[in-house]
Amino acid sequence: DVKVTQSSRYLVKRTGEKVFLECVQDMDHENMFWYRQDPGLGLRLIYFSYDVKMKEKGDIPEGYSVSREKKERFSLILESASTNQTSMYLCASSFSQGKYFGPGTRLTVT
Amino acid sequence: GENVEQHPSTLSVQEGDSAVIKCTYSDSASNYFPWYKQELGKRPQLIIDIRSNVGEKKDQRIAVTLNKTAKHFSLHITETQPEDSAVYFCAASGGVSNAGKSTFGDGTTLTVKP
């Protein structure tokens, strides 16, 4: 059974702080993804990675960066958090096509 | 890039009735179409998928149909139950324009009234 875990379920940060969200999967999946989910806007792709040290921008990469130093771990970094980055962040991994999602991190930036 | 439109945004049915959610996509090269169910406060979970070489796929009370010519696909839930209440997302991927990453629809909130 695939397990995708995220470092925090809830996070509160102040404007301007550097924020790290971590995602770990235990199924040796090549592909990992970071989405944000906002009401009425569905799931929007921030960044994805097909392999270690490899990353590609998604649809809304501005204000975010990522790191993938190990196959099982994919980190999302908010360099300087802003209030408009308050959202639910979902990590996912996949082997071929179907995605397995983590439980999500609800980030509030005040 | 790929564009996926999903309708309706909300759907309310009586328990036992059928529910149908429709999605259209723009990239004719897309070849994989999954559906995800997200219950309140939980993560999205893959419930069924279809590839472009198949026209229909069934799994108990849920089925997905694909019309490649018209570039649309649909989720059908029969004999709905209150536990089917959730947000359902369609997605499309595999086209040249998105290199394997999925483009999601905006979601349909399904409410099944007992």
Side-chain angles (χ1 to χ4, degrees):
Chain A
D1 200 23
V2 178
K3 186 176 282 185
V4 181
T5 58
Q6 295 182 226
S7 49
S8 305
R9 290 300 305 273
Y10 300 94
L11 210 52
V12 180
K13 295 291 182 181
R14 293 193 180 277
T15 302
E17 278 193 85
K18 191 169 186 175
V19 182
F20 292 87
L21 303 181
E22 292 206 321
C23 175
V24 178
Q25 51 94 3
D26 66 357
M27 284 301 291
D28 203 36
H29 284 172
E30 302 287 342
N31 310 317
M32 297 189 74
F33 307 81
W34 275 106
Y35 293 89
R36 66 176 280 177
Q37 184 174 26
D38 301 288
L41 296 178
L43 293 158
R44 293 182 292 167
L45 182 64
I46 305 171
Y47 267 96
F48 62 105
S49 169
Y50 287 135
D51 203 350
V52 175
K53 295 191 187 296
M54 178 274 172
K55 60 187 179 185
E56 285 196 33
K57 292 180 180 179
D59 300 317
I60 51 164
E62 296 79 18
Y64 303 95
S65 62
V66 290
S67 172
R68 193 163 181 203
E69 296 295 319
K70 293 185 178 181
K71 193 174 185 179
E72 67 270 19
R73 190 180 298 268
F74 192 34
S75 301
L76 180 69
I77 303 152
L78 287 66
E79 295 290 342
S80 177
S82 63
T83 54
N84 62 11
Q85 292 179 309
T86 290
S87 186
M88 170 67 82
Y89 290 88
L90 287 162
C91 172
S93 73
S94 73
F95 174 66
S96 56
Q97 297 277 19
K99 290 180 175 57
Y100 297 87
F101 284 88
T105 296
R106 184 164 295 283
L107 172 67
T108 302
V109 182
T110 60
Chain B
E2 174 69 278
N3 183 49
V4 176
E5 294 190 359
Q6 183 172 346
H7 299 281
S9 56
T10 60
L11 180 60
S12 182
V13 300
Q14 210 64 39
E15 183 177 359
D17 287 350
S18 295
V20 180
I21 303 169
K22 298 181 179 179
C23 289
T24 61
Y25 61 99
S26 60
D27 187 347
S28 56
S30 288
N31 56 18
Y32 177 71
F33 307 92
W35 286 88
Y36 296 85
K37 175 184 180 182
Q38 186 177 28
E39 297 176 54
L40 191 63
K42 296 191 176 179
R43 71 189 78 188
Q45 290 196 300
L46 178 68
I47 55 170
I48 195 168
D49 57 12
I50 192 168
R51 297 187 186 275
S52 58
N53 58 348
V54 175
E56 183 175 358
K57 185 176 178 180
K58 271 187 170 181
D59 183 3
Q60 299 182 355
R61 293 187 299 107
I62 60 173
V64 58
T65 58
L66 171 66
N67 183 326
K68 283 180 61 180
T69 304
K71 288 189 282 188
H72 67 71
F73 56 111
S74 300
L75 178 71
H76 305 253
I77 306 174
T78 58
E79 300 172 23
T80 54
Q81 301 167 4
E83 51 265 39
D84 294 329
S85 295
V87 179
Y88 291 81
F89 294 97
C90 65
S93 68
V96 173
S97 62
N98 64 12
K101 60 183 172 115
S102 296
T103 300
F104 285 83
D106 287 343
T108 296
T109 301
L110 173 65
T111 303
V112 180
K113 293 181 282 189

